[in-house]
Amino acid sequence: MSTSSGGFGHDGWWISQPGDDPRSTQFASAHESHHKQLQDSTSYGAVARVYHELGKATGQARYGELAGLLTRASTNVQEAFASWLPAAALVWTRADVVRAYPEYQHHYDAMEHLVGRIGSPYLRFHAVHALSRACMQTTVIATVLRTGPEDFALADVRDRELPDSRFALLRRYPPHWDDAVAVLTAEAEQDERLHGLIAATSLSAALFDPALEEVWQRVNQVMYDATVDALSTAGVTTLALDEHLELTPALLSAAQRIARRLDLRPGRRRRQSEVASVVLGNAESEAFTVAPPLPARLLPRGTDPRLMVADLTDPHLFLTHRRTAALAANYTMTPDSPPWAAGITTVARRTVVEPTGHVVELLELPGPEALPDPALPVFAVAPLSLLAEPHLAPWLRGAWPRTTALLLDVPLAPHLDLWLSPPDARFHHVFLRIESFGRVVPFLVATVETSDDSLSALLIRPLSHAGVRVHKAAFSETYADGPALVEDAAFLAERQELLTVSLAHLAGEEIRFGPSTHHVQDRAHGRAAP
């Protein structure tokens, strides 16, 4: 069985899950999401992210190249952080890590060397967080503002301000963890909550209950102070734990003088009670693939749509309305395929068997008037993010929820808050696993029901194996005290035909899911995303 892999690209990450292996997919996803977590919670990461966004906004390669250079100078601490912590959270041993990802061995060992002597798993977890953030909490924002973002270069950063140099220094002169542990152990004599956390023999979700936020912050601060003291003894300056939040507005303001439409906002300190929705939002930065691009053929415009009938047993037409670039990223087109329409397109789609194997056929349709005899069932899938687009208006008329499912490609947490604002609203959902042509794709399938008698839309979200785990945990933590989220399959009965057709075509005729279609460099394996 192939092991899942992944890559991180500043504003998101991707994973490849080539088989039905939830365990390695969860590790790969956690590894890449930890890269983003460390970037987004530090001053150095903020600078790298800003230059990445400047490269996209201006089209000037030098900004993107600078983001890459900054990232390379944090590789060792990033990889150690993103290898050790997921292993601890997922209860992987060192042997598990080395067996699945031998290239991570020295990164895992580097962090284990620094924190392995701390007896408490909970305190070790905090030590890794504190140590990694301290390596990235440099004064680099001040350097950028002093030189000006247009003129800033990696050469302007002193060696001691580079994360990997700081990490190497800490490996030579580790923090005095014994002193930090002694302080917290003494405090635990007066605090039963802290005592229980320190005494725990393994990590569990209960240790990170939002009700323990005050304790979390205290432990994190003590371990961070120990790391800062070690760096200070060596003459290295480190920002306070969340001091970057005070500096990033000035950084963004300076960057926006170069690119006014920079797609970034200043961060803020998150309360522990917000973690579930934050983690859910973070998971929405994940794109994933389940196979290489599929062989496909785009038929000439004007081809009779009746030639696109799918499934001889239950004949139907399947349509999908999509952003052209996102849809095309799933395929390797045959040489005789015409060019795609730009922007948003609607296609009829099916899979045919040819001597060379399975081929996906696609036919772009100008509008619903091109459809054949209405006696032939027509089912469709459209992204929720496109619902207000003029392109979709002619297609979504009458009782469209009976024949069109919506891809849930918008941020879920704020939409749940909106959808569930009526007291009687319920988010009925179920997690399904679909296997097609040897590929496995999990899905969240849901609907929002109120006292209104009309049929509500069927919502579909493809998920990685790790995404299933994140969504279940977030639902459980965020809505544990109320009836708003209901996990059952009863709501599927009225929508069974639409569900069956939609999931079969999505799992069988697409391989790339999530928000990103751009190429991301695979940090772990040194290859580009397919």
Side-chain angles (χ1 to χ4, degrees):
M1 181 179 295
S2 300
T3 301
S4 296
S5 59
F8 168 66
H10 296 285
D11 52 355
W13 71 91
W14 68 270
I15 59 171
S16 172
Q17 53 177 49
D20 189 16
D21 182 11
R23 197 163 182 264
S24 76
T25 300
Q26 287 169 3
F27 186 93
S29 179
H31 181 89
E32 303 307 335
S33 68
H34 274 72
H35 283 317
K36 190 173 191 298
Q37 179 187 140
L38 188 55
Q39 171 196 259
D40 291 354
S41 63
T42 59
S43 60
Y44 190 90
V47 170
R49 176 73 187 277
V50 162
Y51 278 102
H52 170 75
E53 294 296 336
L54 279 174
K56 292 199 304 180
T58 66
Q60 296 187 37
R62 65 189 181 97
Y63 291 130
E65 291 167 357
L66 179 53
L69 291 173
L70 289 163
T71 301
R72 286 186 63 180
S74 63
T75 296
N76 290 338
V77 64
Q78 274 274 14
E79 295 296 348
F81 176 79
S83 299
W84 195 96
L85 274 175
L90 296 172
V91 198
W92 280 38
T93 65
R94 178 184 181 277
D96 292 332
V97 174
V98 174
R99 186 182 307 112
Y101 301 101
E103 63 273 30
Y104 293 159
Q105 176 178 336
H106 68 283
H107 296 302
Y108 179 95
D109 288 347
M111 189 63 79
E112 179 66 19
H113 174 75
L114 277 163
V115 303
R117 292 179 58 249
I118 301 173
S120 164
Y122 183 74
L123 297 185
R124 275 201 305 275
F125 180 91
H126 276 280
V128 172
H129 262 277
L131 188 149
S132 302
R133 288 191 66 194
C135 288
M136 301 276 286
Q137 278 289 60
T138 78
T139 59
V140 66
I141 292 179
T143 303
V144 173
L145 296 177
R146 185 174 64 251
T147 61
E150 304 95 332
D151 301 320
F152 173 76
L154 188 63
D156 295 318
V157 184
R158 294 180 300 173
D159 184 69
R160 67 185 60 183
E161 297 302 304
L162 296 175
D164 283 350
S165 297
R166 297 157 73 93
F167 189 52
L169 185 65
L170 288 170
R171 293 178 68 187
R172 291 196 299 272
Y173 307 105
H176 294 296
W177 297 127
D178 290 345
D179 294 344
V181 171
V183 168
L184 292 168
T185 301
E187 292 181 9
E189 294 179 2
Q190 307 299 321
D191 188 334
E192 292 184 0
R193 299 172 304 167
L194 179 56
H195 175 79
L197 294 171
I198 294 175
T201 58
S202 61
L203 296 178
S204 67
L207 303 186
F208 306 98
D209 189 321
L212 300 171
E213 178 176 4
E214 179 186 349
V215 183
W216 163 277
Q217 295 296 342
R218 174 57 184 161
V219 175
N220 208 242
Q221 188 67 61
V222 170
M223 304 308 270
Y224 187 80
D225 289 346
T227 308
V228 171
D229 287 346
L231 290 169
S232 179
T233 301
V236 176
T237 302
T238 307
L239 300 184
L241 189 58
D242 290 316
E243 191 176 351
H244 67 290
L245 296 177
E246 302 170 16
L247 304 175
T248 49
L251 174 66
L252 290 179
S253 179
Q256 285 164 349
R257 289 195 289 271
I258 301 173
R260 185 173 301 175
R261 296 182 180 275
L262 205 63
D263 187 23
L264 287 174
R265 294 185 301 274
R268 63 181 178 85
R269 191 171 182 273
R270 302 286 185 176
R271 296 182 61 82
Q272 193 71 6
S273 57
E274 297 178 275
V275 165
S277 60
V278 170
V279 170
L280 183 58
N282 198 35
E284 291 168 341
S285 298
E286 177 179 272
F288 69 98
T289 62
V290 295
L294 303 174
R297 177 184 299 108
L298 190 60
L299 299 180
R301 293 179 183 86
T303 299
D304 189 334
R306 289 175 296 182
L307 300 179
M308 295 297 294
V309 172
D311 194 338
L312 296 179
T313 303
D314 296 300
H316 64 271
L317 276 182
F318 175 77
L319 312 182
T320 187
H321 313 279
R322 307 292 274 277
R323 291 178 178 87
T324 301
L327 181 62
N330 290 280
Y331 309 117
T332 298
M333 306 306 297
T334 58
D336 58 340
S337 295
W340 288 89
I344 300 171
T345 188
T346 294
V347 299
R349 189 173 70 189
R350 67 174 186 169
T351 298
V352 297
V353 181
E354 298 187 350
T356 55
H358 292 95
V359 176
V360 178
E361 286 191 336
L362 306 109
L363 172 63
E364 291 187 299
L365 301 175
E369 68 280 357
L371 294 177
D373 186 340
L376 181 68
V378 179
F379 300 100
V381 167
L384 184 52
S385 62
L386 295 183
L387 204 57
E389 290 287 339
H391 176 93
L392 258 68
W395 296 95
L396 301 180
R397 291 176 177 166
W400 65 263
R402 295 192 177 279
T403 57
T404 300
L406 298 180
L407 278 177
L408 192 48
D409 66 336
V410 297
L412 183 53
H415 280 79
L416 277 178
D417 291 340
L418 175 65
W419 293 335
L420 298 177
S421 54
D424 63 336
R426 298 291 182 268
F427 185 77
H428 293 271
H429 66 282
V430 67
F431 294 91
L432 301 177
R433 174 184 173 279
I434 304 300
E435 183 170 355
S436 182
F437 301 117
R439 304 185 296 271
V440 175
V441 184
F443 289 90
L444 165 66
V445 180
T447 195
V448 180
E449 293 189 349
T450 64
S451 55
D452 187 344
D453 290 336
S454 61
L455 186 72
S456 54
L458 182 68
L459 305 172
I460 297 174
R461 170 170 280 187
L463 295 171
S464 69
H465 295 301
V468 173
R469 183 173 181 265
V470 169
H471 280 67
K472 286 183 175 182
F475 288 175
S476 175
E477 292 178 32
T478 307
Y479 295 92
D481 299 327
L485 264 66
V486 182
E487 186 170 3
D488 65 21
F491 72 97
L492 298 179
E494 289 185 90
R495 306 166 175 87
Q496 191 61 57
E497 193 172 14
L498 173 60
L499 173 71
T500 301
V501 170
S502 298
L503 295 190
H505 282 277
L506 286 171
E509 295 167 350
E510 298 186 27
I511 52 86
R512 195 177 189 87
F513 305 97
S516 300
T517 58
H518 57 270
H519 288 226
V520 177
Q521 184 64 31
D522 185 339
R523 297 163 58 103
H525 300 278
R527 63 175 185 268

